[in-house]
């Protein structure tokens, strides 16, 4: 706000010379105020300064996740809460949907810029002509496993013949993961076993108790939740499948091409977030609680989830945070082809991911 003060001339009036001077002063003052106001308008509209960065402008993006858990995104919680994303000029809105398939649909439709799907749905989407690209390996180790109640007669994957396998969603990464394991054991989908979508850890516990499922393809948080509900479980995942990476940060190729600085800045913030989270549990949990207060209402559960999940973000054999391994991608691809998840091989598996922004 600008306030203009006018002081009348002494003696009750202005002579011609004084009047001319006053008019010039008023004209200069009016011009000065106009410049200030125009500059203020440009700043409000984000157009002030020589560049957006000089004006302090931020890039607003939406992160789409396959479930509402914030603990699953501990590195994002830390990056958001500690201001690492803000330092990269990014303002990120958190949006949860139901499963990796819905994440990819949102990215393709332009309803989000970055998502966190699994590798199986990404390969399926590329086989259908879409171009999602995973640019940061959030869960460098396996995020899924097949579990059964502790008192179950099922002791191995081979024992699942004639059983019903519960999954979270019909198009989630856990389906691809579990079908690859069962196919490797010689079991055929819809002949030797059935798949039943039952939801996440809480509903899965109820499905076990009602006898609707014999086993469950669980993400790591589901395992913690099921046991917290009073149902002891045992994992029967073959060891050779435990090193397959899980969900990672993804964007469509066109967005990456047009916004490489956003992708690089986001990746850098995630690395700093991972490093902070690994050393500052309580502070990170507080940041996660700001994103999902309902989840934080059970401190014991969120603490267990944190301890269970964070180590899976570390590369199995050492290496760079966020980096993808070409051999692991080939294993995912081959498992999907063998299980029928992919109708035919994809020639350009390398185009489904990039390590450019990690490096």
């Amino acid at each position: 706000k600008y306030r203009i003060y006018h002081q009348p001339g002494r003696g009750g009036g202005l002579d011609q010379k004084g009047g001319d001077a006053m008019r010039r002063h008023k004209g200069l003052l009016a011009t000065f105020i106009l410049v200030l106001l125009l500059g203020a308008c440009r700043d409000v509209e984000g157009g002030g300064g020589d560049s957006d960065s000089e004006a302090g402008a931020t890039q607003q993006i939406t992160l789409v996740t396959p479930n509402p858990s914030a603990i699953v995104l501990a590195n994002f919680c830390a990056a958001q809460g500690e201001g690492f994303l803000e330092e990269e000029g990014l303002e990120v809105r958190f949006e949860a949907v139901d499963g990796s398939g819905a994440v990819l649909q949102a990215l393709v439709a332009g309803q989000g810029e970055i998502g966190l799907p699994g590798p199986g749905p990404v390969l399926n989407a590329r086989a259908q002509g879409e171009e999602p690209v995973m640019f940061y390996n959030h869960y460098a180790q396996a995020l899924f496993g097949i579990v059964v109640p502790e008192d179950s007669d099922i002791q191995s994957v081979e024992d699942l013949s004639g059983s019903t396998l519960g999954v979270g969603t019909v198009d989630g990464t856990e389906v691809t993961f579990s079908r690859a394991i069962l196919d490797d054991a010689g079991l055929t989908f819809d002949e030797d076993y059935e798949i039943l979508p039952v939801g996440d850890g809480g509903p899965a516990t109820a499905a076990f108790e009602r006898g609707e499922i014999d086993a469950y393809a669980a993400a790591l948080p589901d395992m913690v939740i099921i046991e917290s509900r009073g149902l002891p479980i045992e994992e029967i995942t073959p060891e050779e499948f435990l090193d397959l990476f899980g969900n990672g940060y993804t964007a469509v190729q066109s967005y990456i091409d047009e916004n490489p600085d956003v992708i690089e800045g986001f990746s850098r913030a995630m690395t700093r977030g991972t490093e902070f989270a690994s050393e500052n549990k309580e502070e990170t949990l507080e940041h996660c609680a700001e994103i999902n207060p309902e989840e934080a209402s059970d401190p014991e559960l969120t603490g267990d989830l944190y301890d269970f999940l964070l180590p899976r973000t570390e590369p199995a054999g050492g290496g760079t945070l966020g980096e993808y391994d070409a051999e692991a991608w080939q294993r995912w691809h081959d498992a999907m082809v063998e299980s029928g998840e992919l109708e035919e091989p994809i020639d350009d598996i390398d185009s489904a991911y990039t390590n450019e922004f990690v490096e």
Side-chain angles (χ1 to χ4, degrees):
K1 293 181 179 180
Y2 300 91
R3 183 172 296 166
I4 303 173
Y5 294 93
H6 172 65
Q7 182 176 4
R10 294 180 182 178
L14 292 172
D15 59 17
Q16 182 63 42
K17 183 177 179 181
D20 290 342
M22 179 62 75
R23 281 190 290 272
R24 285 197 300 272
H25 292 161
K26 284 183 177 179
L28 289 172
L29 181 60
T31 302
F32 175 67
I33 292 172
L34 180 61
V35 170
L36 288 177
L37 290 173
L38 288 174
C41 290
R42 281 198 297 270
D43 287 344
V44 169
E45 293 169 1
D50 295 331
S51 68
D52 285 346
S53 59
E54 289 179 0
T58 57
Q59 178 77 36
Q60 295 183 343
I61 61 175
T62 297
L63 171 64
V64 188
T65 67
N67 64 68
S69 173
I71 302 298
V72 169
L73 299 167
N75 62 356
F76 171 76
C77 296
Q80 185 95 301
E82 290 298 310
F84 302 149
L85 285 163
E86 184 179 1
E87 290 174 17
E88 298 293 345
L90 299 176
E91 181 180 334
V92 185
R93 186 171 70 96
F94 179 91
E95 185 72 32
V97 294
D98 190 14
S100 290
V103 169
L104 292 168
Q105 289 172 11
L107 296 184
V108 171
Q111 296 171 343
E113 287 70 37
I114 296 176
L116 194 73
V122 166
L123 288 174
N124 265 319
R126 296 193 66 87
Q128 296 168 16
E130 306 296 348
E131 293 189 324
V133 178
M134 302 184 83
F135 64 84
Y136 193 94
N137 191 1
H138 177 42
Y139 280 108
Q141 300 182 44
L143 187 57
F144 301 95
I146 298 179
V147 299
V148 296
E150 195 174 57
D151 59 359
S152 172
D153 293 334
I154 298 173
Q155 299 296 313
S156 68
V157 173
E158 288 76 13
D159 294 337
L160 290 173
S161 179
S163 67
T164 298
L165 175 69
V167 296
T169 61
V170 70
D171 58 355
T173 304
E174 70 273 18
V175 176
T176 304
F177 185 84
S178 58
R179 285 193 61 176
I181 293 173
L182 291 163
D183 184 75
D184 186 67
L187 302 180
T188 303
F189 173 58
D190 269 351
E191 291 183 13
D192 298 313
Y193 67 95
E194 296 179 351
I195 286 181
L196 179 66
V198 296
D200 57 17
T205 305
F208 269 128
E209 293 171 344
R210 291 193 298 265
E212 296 173 352
I213 59 175
D214 304 293
Y216 183 66
L220 296 183
D222 296 322
M223 298 184 193
V224 177
I225 292 171
I226 291 172
E227 292 214 322
S228 73
R229 298 292 177 91
L231 180 63
I233 55 175
E234 182 178 338
E235 184 172 1
I236 60 171
T237 310
E239 188 173 350
E240 60 268 27
F241 286 90
L242 292 177
D243 63 348
L244 287 179
F245 60 89
N247 294 39
Y249 294 105
T250 302
V252 295
Q253 185 67 62
S254 59
Y255 184 82
I256 293 175
D257 292 341
E258 295 169 8
N259 301 275
D261 292 344
V262 171
I263 302 301
E264 181 177 343
F266 185 88
S267 299
R268 186 161 42 239
M270 290 307 102
T271 295
R272 294 179 67 190
T274 301
E275 292 171 346
F276 179 89
S278 66
E279 299 174 359
N280 301 276
K281 177 179 178 179
E282 295 306 320
E283 291 91 335
T284 302
L285 289 176
E286 290 175 4
H287 294 321
C288 289
E290 294 175 4
I291 295 175
N292 189 334
E294 183 178 356
E295 182 180 46
S297 63
D298 189 340
E300 184 176 353
L301 176 60
T302 54
D304 289 345
L305 282 171
Y306 178 96
D307 294 337
F308 211 70
L309 289 170
L310 198 65
R312 299 297 182 109
T313 63
E314 298 285 344
T320 303
L321 284 172
E323 191 173 27
Y324 283 107
D325 178 65
E327 190 175 321
W329 268 101
Q330 189 66 51
R331 287 188 63 201
W332 262 115
H333 171 269
D334 294 347
M336 291 178 66
V337 172
E338 292 173 9
S339 66
E341 285 286 293
L342 283 174
E343 294 183 1
E344 56 185 27
I346 296 177
D347 294 331
D348 56 342
I349 304 175
D350 292 347
S351 65
Y353 70 96
T354 179
N355 287 323
E356 174 185 355
F357 303 99
V358 174
E359 294 168 358

